[in-house]
Amino acid sequence: IQAALNLTLICSTSLFAAANLQITLDKCVQTDKFLYERKMVIFMIQNKCLHHSMFKLIGTDENPKDFSEEEVKILATNNSVMTSYYFQKAFISFAFRMYDDSKHFSEKYLDCIANTWANLLFAHSYHAFYMGLISFWLARKSGDEQQWHERGKRSK
């Protein structure tokens, strides 16, 4: 399990540390294979959630590999996995200044995070940081400034 945690941590921190995205994507695909071989499906799904963000940031039309039927079922029922999924969607929507999507996925993320135990480890720190940024941006852009401002302050 420690190797899986280390590999997934490398993928997520490389994305947010502005490492070369193509190299990071290649490492993440290798990590997915490692996790698949060891039947660590939940870690693999969380790692796959990063792929979409990387493809968008690289600027390619390529899409990440679709989730299998089993993975879709886990994605729909596991709050930790849904939290990762919604965070990545909110993050990339924010990065490209897509207001409606940022708001939608941020709300979904906030609904999930309330019922998620802290198994995301390091991810919680950058989730909190970026959700704070997204919330303050949504506060400036929306008519419901107070609600989003409060959400941003809670991310400190």
Side-chain angles (χ1 to χ4, degrees), residues 28-80:
C28 287
V29 169
Q30 290 172 353
T31 298
D32 288 346
K33 289 176 185 173
F34 175 88
L35 296 170
Y36 179 79
E37 289 167 359
R38 286 152 184 83
K39 299 186 183 339
M40 298 176 144
V41 180
I42 289 177
F43 287 125
M44 186 181 71
I45 296 168
Q46 288 176 317
N47 200 51
K48 277 183 164 183
C49 292
L50 297 171
H51 295 198
H52 181 263
S53 294
M54 288 184 223
F55 282 124
K56 288 292 239 182
L57 292 170
I58 289 170
T60 182
D61 289 335
E62 190 174 350
N63 286 314
K65 184 181 172 193
D66 288 334
F67 292 110
S68 70
E69 190 174 315
E70 176 190 12
E71 293 167 353
V72 169
K73 192 181 295 182
I74 291 170
L75 184 61
T77 59
N78 184 298
N79 261 357
S80 294

Side-chain angles (χ1 to χ4, degrees), residues 2-152:
Q2 189 63 45
L5 287 171
N6 289 343
L7 289 169
T8 56
L9 181 63
I10 288 169
C11 291
S12 62
T13 55
S14 295
L15 171 63
F16 292 102
N20 181 297
L21 289 172
Q22 189 59 57
I23 292 171
T24 300
L25 181 60
D26 294 343
K27 285 180 187 175
C28 287
V29 169
Q30 290 172 353
T31 298
D32 288 346
K33 289 176 185 173
F34 175 88
L35 296 170
Y36 179 79
E37 289 167 359
R38 286 152 184 83
K39 299 186 183 339
M40 298 176 144
V41 180
I42 289 177
F43 287 125
M44 186 181 71
I45 296 168
Q46 288 176 317
N47 200 51
K48 277 183 164 183
C49 292
L50 297 171
H51 295 198
H52 181 263
S53 294
M54 288 184 223
F55 282 124
K56 288 292 239 182
L57 292 170
I58 289 170
T60 182
D61 289 335
E62 190 174 350
N63 286 314
K65 184 181 172 193
D66 288 334
F67 292 110
S68 70
E69 190 174 315
E70 176 190 12
E71 293 167 353
V72 169
K73 192 181 295 182
I74 291 170
L75 184 61
T77 59
N78 184 298
N79 261 357
S80 294
V81 175
M82 282 193 294
T83 298
S84 295
Y85 176 79
Y86 290 133
F87 172 78
Q88 287 301 320
K89 292 290 194 178
F91 168 74
I92 207 66
S93 298
F94 169 69
F96 287 97
R97 298 299 192 251
M98 297 182 290
Y99 172 81
D100 291 334
D101 287 346
S102 294
K103 183 177 177 184
H104 172 75
F105 290 118
S106 294
E107 288 171 339
K108 294 279 196 182
Y109 169 85
L110 292 168
D111 288 343
C112 283
I113 197 70
N115 300 313
T116 302
W117 59 284
N119 76 331
L120 299 176
L121 307 171
F122 182 75
H124 281 291
S125 63
Y126 63 79
H127 283 196
F129 175 75
Y130 282 103
M131 286 310 297
L133 288 178
I134 293 168
S135 295
F136 288 130
W137 179 69
L138 290 170
R140 286 192 306 276
K141 295 285 185 186
S142 74
D144 193 8
E145 184 175 321
Q146 186 62 30
Q147 176 190 15
W148 285 106
H149 194 282
E150 287 300 317
R151 287 176 174 170

